[in-house]
Every structure is written in C-alpha cells, then in structure tokens.
Amino acid sequence: MLVPARRSADVPALVGWVYGGPVPLLTALLRSWEERFGARGVAAYGGEVLVSVARPPLDPAQAEQLALEHVLSTADNIVDDPPTPFPEYARGLVGRTEWRFWWD
C-alpha cells in the first residue's frame, strides 16, 4: 500500500506496524540512516523491512558504527540468524545498497 508520509522512516509508526522490534527505536534508526546514508524504507511485509541505501558506508569505521546500530534494531537476522561474526557483518556493509531486517 502507499502511505502518505513525509519520510519513509515514519511509515512503520503510521501504519501501526507490530511485527518487529520497538517501533519508536526502529523509526529513530531509520531517520538517522535516512539523513546519513540516504536510506529509504521501500517495503515492509510481515516481520520484514527492506531498506534501499543511496549512500552506503565506504569507510570500515563508519560501517562498524552502522553495524552496531543494526544490532540495536533487535532484528532477528542481525542478532540471532545466522551467527555472523560482528567484524564480518560490518565489512559486509561497506558499499552495500540494500539492507534487510526481519523479526520472527
């Protein structure tokens, strides 16, 4: 569905999304990523959120900070599924233009 919102970060709260982590935290993270990385939520279905990233991190230190923020999202694919070592996960964010999060 299309949702009238000024920012894609606000959509989970506007539609009353209840499938994942705490919506106020997720909205705050999405807003920050929107400002810093040009990230836009492009889809949400069930317990999954897909984010398109216009300016992904190119610096390993920036990717490590972002990886910590991904952990804060409490998404199961980041925290539990699969158990990817943190340094490997952070390196994988360098230049990556799509982020997926899901909650079981």
Side-chain angles (χ1 to χ4, degrees):
M1 86 175 103
L2 295 175
V3 178
R6 290 183 185 252
R7 302 174 74 162
S8 67
D10 297 335
V11 170
L14 290 171
V15 300
W17 190 69
V18 295
Y19 298 101
V23 172
L25 173 63
L26 181 60
T27 299
L29 288 169
L30 288 169
R31 280 177 171 243
S32 177
W33 299 337
E34 187 176 287
E35 292 167 4
R36 293 181 294 147
F37 302 108
R40 300 281 187 262
V42 294
Y45 39 93
E48 188 168 353
V49 172
L50 175 63
V51 178
S52 176
V53 185
R55 299 180 307 276
L58 301 176
D59 171 274
Q62 190 180 39
E64 284 185 14
Q65 178 181 339
L66 177 62
L68 284 173
E69 294 171 9
H70 282 198
V71 169
L72 287 174
S73 74
T74 71
D76 292 331
N77 65 306
I78 310 299
V79 178
D80 299 326
D81 195 25
T84 304
F86 182 82
E88 183 181 327
Y89 180 79
R91 281 191 304 273
L93 292 174
V94 173
R96 193 161 145 205
T97 59
E98 179 184 287
W99 304 335
R100 287 183 180 269
F101 303 91
W102 64 82
W103 295 262
D104 291 328

